[in-house]
Amino acid sequence: MDLITFTLFIAFLVIFYLAASVKIVRQGHRYTIERFGKFTEVASPGFNLYPAFFYRVGRRINMMEQVIDVPSQEIITRDNAMVSVDAVVFFQVLDAAKAAYEVSNLSVALLQLSTTNLRTVMGSMDLDETLSKRDEINARLLSVVDHATNAWGVKITRVEIKDIRPPQDIVNAMARQMKAEREKRANILEAEGLKSSEVLRAEGAKQSRILEAEGRREAAFRDAEAREREAQAEAKATQMVSDAIAGGNAQAINYFIAQKYVEAVEKFATSSNAKTILFPVEATQLIGTLGGIGQLAREALGTDEPARTDRPPAGVPRTRTP
Amino acid sequence: MIGGLFGDIHPSIFWGILAVILAAAELLAPGVFLIWVSLAAALTAGAVLLLPIGEPFQWLAFAIFSALSISGGRLWYLARPVEPEDPLLNDRTARLIGRTVVVTQAISHGEGRVRVDDGSWPVSGPDASTGSYVRITGVAGSILTVEPVPETPGIASLPPGQT
């Protein structure tokens, strides 16, 4: 029974020893192996057997790319604006041994390094620059932090500014500035529009005035021409009348005029207006006219026909035969 | 039977049951360790079935078989190493070798920076002006060693083995 107990313990001890000696390293990690406390090698992923008591695992290093969140912090820019900034740092361990033994607390060291350098880089820029040149901030931070972490077997792959928050009053001022800028642009555009429209309107007015004047000029020309033509016609008609008169007898004209006179009086009589018409009828003249007609008839026919009763009105010039 | 731990079942049955329990435990808590012990228990069961071994020596045999199975397992593992689909996994710098990259900070006195994907890496190598192309030939820590590329390609070429 004692022997059984003893062998049982031996068996358990062997199992425990083997359990402590088998080192299964998962993918994405490396284990540093120490022999009596001194680093010897790095265990790769897979099945590793390092006899316990002589060897032990020092550090378990994650070889995957990792992210450190740089907490939000107040940074004073070059133009004395206080902004709160938070960032993320991506890093990957390239050399497990260096990352394990060259630096005592890798993530804290990286966090402090990026925080202080973030302050340095952003403190050397104006607020506007910090807001618009994130890429430059990232690049500068990366190159600074990269050099520092080279000794730790770590590669900083990316430093990204997550958020930059200026104080509220500055944000308001920025909004006002933007609004004013847009207002200015809108006003300028409006004024330009007005100017253009006014110019166009004036151009239009000018054109219309010019056209109108040209029209008037043309019309005047035409009017003058018409008057000339009329005058010519008048002259011709007069010429013809006078020719006719010269060729014929003045008494014939007298006859026509008298006829018109009488027709006019007739119209007076038939008009629907008041029938009381006063006009000085010079009876003597009328009688004279009758005499003239008689004379006319005699001259025309050479006979002694009874004269017409047409009486030319007063004021008709009478041609007297000598 | 001598009695004691096994009660009145046959030792080989006990070891068989232990082997099964250990294999199940391995499935429940994978650590690639208990499976070897389970194998040792199965071997012990076989030995007890074939040879009349006293109870204390069965435990010793179990311990010896455990040691043997684990050493055998390691030898087997070394003889047939796992062929990963991507041997360069978690080895970022090895992936970069052979790539052609553009210099972002002129290399002078053996120090400069190049752009790789969206990040920048410190390099050492012969002098090269900003904007010129260099090929990554090796790695020292996180500093890449580069050589100038005689012809200027349009785009950075992929490392060999990747198409």
Side-chain angles (χ1 to χ4, degrees), chain A residues 27 65 92 150 155 158, chain B residues 90 92 113 118 120 142:
Chain A
Q27 181 66 52
E65 192 162 331
Q92 185 164 22
N150 194 8
K155 166 69 186 154
R158 243 171 253 103
Chain B
N90 299 116
R92 178 174 279 241
R113 291 185 82 82
D118 69 330
S120 77
S142 65

Side-chain angles (χ1 to χ4, degrees), chain B:
Chain B
M1 283 289 91
I2 307 156
L5 271 177
F6 302 150
D8 52 359
I9 56 165
H10 193 272
S12 65
I13 305 273
F14 167 82
W15 288 113
I17 289 169
L18 187 64
V20 172
I21 287 171
L22 286 168
E26 169 66 43
L27 289 178
L28 286 174
V32 205
F33 166 71
L34 288 176
I35 188 66
W36 308 114
V37 185
S38 162
L39 185 66
L43 287 171
T44 313
V48 170
L49 202 64
L50 295 171
L51 305 167
I53 303 172
E55 198 178 323
F57 301 102
Q58 288 179 15
W59 287 103
L60 279 179
F62 174 55
I64 292 161
F65 278 134
S66 296
L68 286 177
S69 71
I70 287 191
S71 325
R74 180 159 179 271
L75 288 172
W76 179 81
Y77 178 82
L78 289 176
R80 290 177 191 71
V82 180
E83 280 296 333
E85 200 171 291
D86 184 355
L88 299 180
L89 209 58
N90 299 116
D91 195 349
R92 178 174 279 241
T93 46
R95 280 181 197 276
L96 301 176
I97 293 171
R99 277 186 64 170
T100 304
V101 289
V102 66
V103 178
T104 54
Q105 186 187 315
I107 305 172
S108 65
H109 304 294
E111 278 192 4
R113 291 185 82 82
V114 295
R115 168 167 295 285
V116 179
D117 298 333
D118 69 330
S120 77
W121 287 68
V123 294
S124 65
D127 289 7
S129 59
T130 306
S132 60
Y133 287 90
V134 290
R135 181 173 288 120
I136 299 167
T137 54
V139 182
S142 65
I143 298 177
L144 310 171
T145 50
V146 294
E147 63 174 14
V149 178
E151 76 283 355
T152 304
I155 47 165
S157 59
L158 285 168
Q162 281 190 35
T163 46

Side-chain angles (χ1 to χ4, degrees), chain A:
Chain A
M1 191 68 200
D2 290 343
L3 191 62
I4 290 176
T5 315
F6 177 68
T7 51
L8 194 73
F9 275 114
I10 292 280
F12 273 110
L13 179 64
V14 168
I15 301 288
F16 271 118
Y17 181 77
L18 292 172
S21 304
V22 172
K23 313 274 191 253
I24 304 292
V25 181
R26 304 287 302 277
Q27 181 66 52
H29 293 77
R30 295 269 198 289
Y31 292 177
T32 58
I33 304 296
E34 296 168 359
R35 188 176 183 194
F36 298 122
K38 191 176 192 304
F39 168 74
T40 58
E41 57 184 285
V42 175
S44 301
F47 184 91
N48 296 278
L49 189 67
Y50 290 102
F53 304 131
F54 307 102
Y55 296 92
R56 60 183 289 269
V57 173
R59 301 272 164 77
R60 294 170 167 78
I61 303 292
N62 186 347
M63 301 298 284
M64 300 180 242
E65 192 162 331
Q66 298 167 73
V67 185
I68 300 179
D69 212 335
V70 178
S72 181
Q73 54 183 307
E74 300 282 313
I75 292 177
I76 299 169
T77 59
R78 193 170 58 187
D79 49 358
N80 297 329
M82 187 89 102
V83 289
S84 56
V85 179
D86 50 6
V88 280
V89 179
F90 292 76
F91 73 95
Q92 185 164 22
V93 177
L94 300 178
D95 188 332
K98 277 186 180 176
Y101 300 113
E102 289 283 358
V103 57
S104 119
N105 194 335
L106 182 62
S107 55
V108 169
L110 284 176
L111 180 60
Q112 295 302 327
L113 191 66
S114 9
T115 307
T116 50
N117 280 297
L118 186 63
R119 279 184 180 281
T120 311
V121 170
M122 289 190 72
S124 67
M125 288 180 155
D126 290 339
L127 177 62
D128 286 350
E129 273 183 306
T130 60
L131 291 172
S132 61
K133 293 189 179 171
R134 287 194 183 197
D135 286 352
E136 198 183 307
I137 296 173
N138 292 341
R140 277 170 68 179
L141 257 176
L142 185 63
S143 72
V144 172
V145 177
D146 218 12
H147 279 290
T149 56
N150 194 8
W152 303 341
V154 172
K155 166 69 186 154
I156 306 281
T157 49
R158 243 171 253 103
V159 180
E160 296 287 345
I161 305 289
K162 253 202 319 196
D163 200 3
I164 302 176
R165 287 179 305 276
Q168 195 54 47
D169 52 350
I170 292 198
V171 170
N172 292 344
M174 281 178 183
R176 281 216 314 277
Q177 184 193 353
M178 189 199 73
K179 198 174 162 194
E181 194 72 42
R182 299 204 175 240
E183 292 274 346
K184 173 187 152 190
R185 290 218 302 256
N187 284 340
I188 287 172
L189 281 172
E190 221 166 80
E192 274 180 354
L194 270 176
K195 176 185 154 189
S196 300
S197 76
E198 287 292 327
V199 166
L200 282 171
R201 217 170 273 158
E203 282 282 336
K206 175 184 157 189
Q207 286 282 353
S208 78
R209 294 266 286 282
I210 287 171
L211 284 171
E212 215 173 274
E214 272 181 358
R216 279 211 313 275
R217 175 163 164 259
E218 194 74 19
F221 268 104
R222 296 282 162 101
D223 278 350
E225 244 173 59
R227 271 173 54 199
E228 267 175 36
R229 289 283 303 119
E230 242 169 39
Q232 274 176 5
E234 194 82 39
K236 210 165 185 178
T238 312
Q239 182 67 41
M240 282 167 87
V241 168
S242 65
D243 279 359
I245 291 168
N249 199 326
Q251 293 299 339
I253 293 171
N254 265 356
Y255 160 73
F256 281 119
I257 292 172
Q259 211 178 7
K260 291 270 181 222
Y261 247 117
V262 173
E263 272 173 20
V265 173
E266 221 171 85
K267 275 188 182 139
F268 272 123
T270 60
S271 80
S272 56
N273 294 341
K275 293 288 193 297
T276 318
I277 305 162
L278 294 174
F279 54 96
V281 178
E282 289 178 33
T284 52
Q285 290 246 356
L286 194 63
I287 289 158
T289 314
L290 290 177
I293 291 168
Q295 206 177 7
L296 204 146
R298 272 197 304 276
E299 278 178 12
L301 301 169
T303 55
D304 202 358
E305 278 186 13
R308 282 190 199 164
T309 52
D310 291 292
R311 291 168 302 177
V316 175
R318 283 167 296 127
T319 50
R320 292 187 185 276
T321 49

